[in-house]
């Protein structure tokens, strides 16, 4: 291996990390000071709780990532004080946690390169794997937010790397490091216990045949890895021992066991539909349309056309089994699957490059083969690149709910008039704490405060044109909006074109006696 090769590889990885970091950091101020993502406040509030003691008092999530965030909160707290920024501004801490997500996200890129290098060797497959993860829509999107999933994926990538290494070299060091990072992954998020499956596969393939597995020293290795994993978990979440009673309980939003019941299970009659949603709808959105097609072709080839070996068994068998397992849960949002990317991305890279190599075996001009190869890779990547760039752009724009919030603060709050709020999409927005009420019906009967009052509507399906076309009748919402809205004055309409958030319509209600008013 020559020096120039190393320099080129490092340069490519450096560029990918920089590009990936920029993409993931551009939306860092999204929605602030509002807290529009349901999971972000849970993380930030848990980290803030550490100021009064290192035991968060809740084990619905393990604690390692809380402590990592807390260290950075402390560091930036002193930086804020030195430069004169307001240390009590919550938005800064949301941005710190979002920044950590972005950093852990791009830190996963070189690890995926190393996983692919360990399993498949060469230059093109590892580099392509790194490129795919850099622009993978679901990974880019999840890196915007102050959540656990991207950091969780980083620790899992390290565990997968050392599992790949032990599959090639069954040294005690690789077993220990595999166990260490499995334990730390579980200490970020409990579902990393599913790494037991690829670990078992890696252990099985680390020896020539099953007789070697039964030798005492080889039986000892996975036992040591398991013990190291347990110790690593408790190091990351020490109060799981010190406060074991709380940890090992079903107490809602507190006990660890509650987390496993909270996700629920669907009926078997609904399972086929859920699996379809996972592999067809969800993965298509997560990967981008062409990479998703390649993903499906890869799985079909693996399952039905015997394109499998120990490396693909290690990578794809867990992806398939775990995806079906998560699909059985009542709650199975896309971010539950993010950690699987460190398994299927190396396999995707191998599948793509192997397919191109078959094409290159035809007797065409080398120049033509090279051009066509580049064209094919571009064809596969461009839709995902577009999807990720679109996501970056959208979440760098002002959310409709933030614009509505700012407008209300400037135009309604000073008047001290009462505000009615309708629409599930506005649940996370507190326009005014005391002089406001959330209503499920849009009806004259709900207006029981002194006029004038304001009504804020925020539904994903409700645009101004649709509302007018329906003669002011809001479908699927209780009440008789067609009686109320014509008597109201529309004072603000906020369109959601090319930005996140629902369309928002704000009405001023001054008179309930004139049914012909507009």
């Amino acid at each position: 291996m020559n020096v120039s090769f190393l320099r080129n590889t490092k340069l490519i990885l450096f560029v990918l990390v920089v590009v990936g970091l920029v993409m993931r950091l551009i939306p860092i101020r999204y929605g602030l000071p509002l807290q529009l993502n349901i999971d972000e406040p849970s993380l930030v509030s848990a980290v803030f709780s550490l100021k009064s003691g290192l035991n968060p008092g809740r084990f619905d999530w393990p604690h390692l990532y809380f402590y990592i965030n807390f260290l950075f909160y402390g560091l930036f707290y002193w930086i804020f004080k030195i430069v004169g920024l307001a240390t009590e501004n919550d938005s800064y801490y949301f941005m710190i946690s979002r920044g950590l997500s972005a950093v852990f996200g791009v830190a996963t890129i070189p690890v995926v390169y190393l996983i692919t290098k360990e399993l498949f060797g060469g230059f093109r497959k590892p580099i392509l794997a790194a490129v795919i993860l850099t622009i993978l829509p679901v990974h880019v999107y999840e890196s915007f937010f102050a959540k656990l999933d991207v950091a969780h994926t980083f620790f899992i990538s390290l565990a997968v790397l050392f599992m790949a290494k032990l599959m090639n070299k069954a040294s005690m060091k690789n077993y220990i490091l595999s166990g260490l990072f499995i334990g730390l992954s579980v200490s970020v998020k409990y579902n990393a216990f599913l790494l037991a499956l690829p670990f078992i596969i890696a252990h099985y393939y680390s020896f020539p045949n099953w007789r070697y597995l039964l030798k005492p020293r080889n039986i000892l290795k996975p036992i040591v890895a398991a013990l190291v994993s347990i110790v690593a978990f408790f190091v990351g979440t020490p109060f799981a021992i010190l406060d074991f009673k709380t940890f090992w309980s079903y107490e809602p939003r507190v006990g660890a066991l509650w987390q496993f019941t909270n996700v629920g299970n669907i009926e078997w009659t609904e399972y086929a539909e859920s699996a379809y949603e996972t592999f067809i709808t969800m993965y298509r959105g997560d990967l981008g349309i062409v990479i998703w097609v390649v993903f499906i072709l890869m799985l079909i080839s693996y399952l039905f056309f015997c394109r499998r070996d120990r490396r693909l068994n290690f990578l794809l068998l867990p992806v398939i089994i775990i995806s079906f397992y998560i699909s059985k849960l009542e709650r199975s949002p896309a971010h539950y699957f993010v950690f699987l990317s460190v398994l299927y991305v190396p396999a995707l890279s191998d599948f793509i490059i192997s397919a191109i190599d078959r094409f290159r075996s035809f007797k065409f001009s080398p120049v033509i083969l090279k051009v066509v190869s580049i064209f094919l890779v571009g064809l596969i990547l461009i839709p995902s690149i577009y999807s990720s760039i679109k996501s970056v752009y959208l979440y760098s724009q002002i959310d409709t709910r933030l614009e509505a919030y700012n407008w209300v603060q400037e135009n309604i709050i000073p008047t001290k008039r009462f505000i009615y709020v309708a629409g599930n999409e506005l649940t996370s927005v507190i326009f005014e704490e005391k002089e406001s009420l959330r209503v499920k019906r849009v009806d004259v009967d709900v207006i029981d405060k002194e006029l004038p009052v304001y009504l804020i509507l925020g539904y994903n399906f409700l645009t101004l044109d649709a509302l007018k076309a329906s003669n002011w009748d809001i479908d699927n919402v209780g009440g008789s909006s067609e009686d109320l809205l014509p008597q109201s004055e529309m004072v603000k309409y906020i369109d959601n074109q090319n930005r996140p958030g629902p369309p928002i319509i704000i009405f001023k209600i001054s008179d309930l006696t004139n049914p012909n008013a507009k």
Side-chain angles (χ1 to χ4, degrees):
M1 185 178 293
N2 58 54
V3 175
S4 62
F5 172 81
L6 286 174
R7 279 202 301 267
N8 290 338
T9 302
K10 290 178 180 178
L11 178 61
I12 293 170
L13 289 175
F14 175 77
V15 170
L16 290 175
V17 166
V18 171
V19 170
L21 187 61
V22 170
M23 291 175 67
R24 288 158 173 80
L25 286 178
I26 286 175
I28 196 168
R29 292 190 58 84
Y30 164 69
L32 296 173
L34 301 183
Q35 300 166 11
L36 300 177
N37 185 286
I38 191 172
D39 291 319
E40 288 190 304
S42 296
L43 171 64
V44 176
S45 63
V47 178
F48 275 140
S49 73
L50 297 176
K51 292 191 292 184
S52 58
L54 292 179
N55 182 4
R58 49 180 282 196
F59 295 90
D60 51 336
W61 289 338
H63 299 163
L64 176 59
Y65 196 52
F66 297 167
Y67 296 140
I68 293 172
N69 276 263
F70 188 59
L71 287 174
F72 281 90
Y73 283 18
L75 173 63
F76 278 93
Y77 172 85
W78 289 107
I79 293 175
F80 295 157
K81 292 198 72 170
I82 292 170
V83 301
L85 292 175
T87 57
E88 69 277 5
N89 189 330
D90 289 353
S91 293
Y92 293 146
Y93 299 97
F94 275 84
M95 286 192 287
I96 292 169
S97 290
R98 289 177 178 181
L100 282 174
S101 286
V103 169
F104 277 112
V106 297
T108 311
I109 294 169
V111 182
V112 165
Y113 167 86
L114 293 172
I115 292 169
T116 314
K117 183 77 172 177
E118 182 68 32
L119 292 173
F120 300 105
F123 172 75
R124 293 179 299 153
K125 291 179 182 180
I127 288 296
L128 181 57
V131 171
I132 291 173
L133 190 70
T134 302
I135 55 89
L136 195 69
V138 67
H139 197 269
V140 172
Y141 173 80
E142 291 297 334
S143 298
F144 296 161
F145 300 108
K147 296 163 61 176
L148 286 76
D149 302 279
V150 174
H152 176 239
T153 301
F154 169 74
F155 283 101
I156 283 178
S157 71
L158 291 172
V160 170
L161 173 61
F162 288 103
M163 285 186 239
K165 285 181 176 291
L166 79 83
M167 195 163 63
N168 290 331
K169 184 180 179 182
S171 66
M172 182 62 79
K173 174 185 175 183
N174 288 332
Y175 276 91
I176 290 173
L177 290 172
S178 296
L180 171 66
F181 288 110
I182 290 173
L184 293 177
S185 300
V186 177
S187 202
V188 173
K189 201 169 181 182
Y190 293 121
N191 67 355
F193 79 89
L194 295 167
L195 288 174
L197 177 56
F199 177 82
I200 291 170
I201 295 171
H203 173 62
Y204 174 79
Y205 283 119
S206 62
F207 300 102
N209 56 60
W210 63 269
R211 293 185 182 87
Y212 283 85
L213 292 173
L214 299 179
K215 291 185 177 181
R217 67 176 181 273
N218 295 333
I219 293 175
L220 180 64
K221 290 176 181 177
I223 294 174
V224 170
L227 293 174
V228 170
S229 180
I230 293 169
V231 171
F233 168 77
F234 286 119
V235 168
T237 308
F239 287 93
I241 293 178
L242 300 175
D243 190 8
F244 184 78
K245 184 177 179 181
T246 305
F247 166 71
W248 200 254
S249 75
Y250 289 96
E251 185 177 349
R253 295 177 178 82
V254 175
L257 298 179
W258 171 80
Q259 186 66 273
F260 292 92
T261 60
N262 178 49
V263 292
N265 280 285
I266 61 173
E267 297 294 332
W268 283 108
T269 54
E270 302 171 318
Y271 187 49
E273 181 182 353
S274 179
Y276 177 89
E277 287 292 322
T278 294
F279 284 96
I280 305 302
T281 306
M282 187 206 71
Y283 272 122
R284 184 173 59 208
D286 287 357
L287 306 182
I289 183 64
V290 181
I291 289 183
W292 170 76
V293 170
V294 175
F295 175 75
I296 295 299
L297 290 174
M298 176 181 68
L299 295 184
I300 292 172
S301 176
Y302 172 78
L303 290 171
F304 303 109
F305 294 96
C306 296
R307 187 186 181 275
R308 63 178 76 103
D309 57 24
R310 67 191 190 102
R311 298 168 302 180
L312 294 178
N313 288 340
F314 168 68
L315 294 172
L316 292 182
L317 196 57
V319 169
I320 295 167
I321 292 174
I322 293 172
S323 293
F324 275 112
Y325 165 74
I326 298 176
S327 299
K328 183 66 172 64
L329 303 178
E330 190 174 355
R331 295 178 61 243
S332 55
H335 65 86
Y336 281 16
F337 298 81
V338 174
F339 73 95
L340 293 175
S341 61
V342 301
L343 291 167
Y344 62 70
V345 165
L348 275 169
S349 178
D350 169 65
F351 187 80
I352 293 168
I353 296 297
S354 297
I356 289 174
D357 285 345
R358 289 193 191 94
F359 171 77
R360 289 165 70 98
S361 66
F362 292 108
K363 294 181 180 180
F364 291 109
S365 163
V367 175
I368 293 176
L369 289 173
K370 190 170 185 178
V371 170
V372 172
S373 298
I374 294 172
F375 172 78
L376 290 174
V377 171
L379 183 67
I380 292 168
L381 296 180
I382 285 174
S384 297
I385 294 172
Y386 170 78
S387 180
S388 291
I389 291 175
K390 181 180 178 182
S391 182
V392 171
Y393 172 78
L394 284 175
Y395 284 89
S396 64
Q397 305 303 302
I398 184 170
D399 191 287
T400 59
R401 291 162 290 188
L402 179 57
E403 183 175 336
Y405 174 83
N406 290 335
W407 192 89
V408 167
Q409 302 310 304
E410 294 173 7
N411 296 277
I412 299 180
I413 299 303
T415 69
K416 297 184 179 180
R417 306 314 302 178
F418 200 83
I419 303 169
Y420 294 90
V421 182
N424 291 334
E425 289 79 7
L426 301 180
T427 302
S428 60
V429 184
I430 301 175
F431 291 101
E432 212 286 333
E433 288 191 20
K434 296 180 180 179
E435 298 297 316
S436 66
L437 177 68
R438 298 189 183 279
V439 295
K440 294 182 178 180
R441 296 185 302 117
V442 179
D443 195 284
V444 172
D445 293 343
V446 304
I447 309 300
D448 58 359
K449 300 294 182 180
E450 181 183 352
L451 301 179
V453 296
Y454 290 86
L455 172 65
I456 304 175
L457 303 179
Y459 299 96
N460 279 327
F461 59 84
L462 185 66
T463 64
L464 183 59
D465 290 341
L467 185 59
K468 290 179 177 179
S470 66
N471 293 318
W472 306 97
D473 182 18
I474 306 175
D475 293 335
N476 304 317
V477 175
S480 299
S481 58
E482 67 274 18
D483 294 333
L484 173 63
L485 298 183
Q487 304 186 65
S488 308
E489 175 191 0
M490 189 191 72
V491 293
K492 183 69 173 177
Y493 176 60
I494 302 173
D495 192 5
N496 67 339
Q497 186 173 6
N498 294 323
R499 57 172 167 168
I504 296 177
I505 312 173
I506 303 177
F507 292 92
K508 183 178 181 180
I509 305 171
S510 302
D511 185 1
L512 294 178
T513 62
N514 181 8
N516 296 314
K518 296 292 181 184

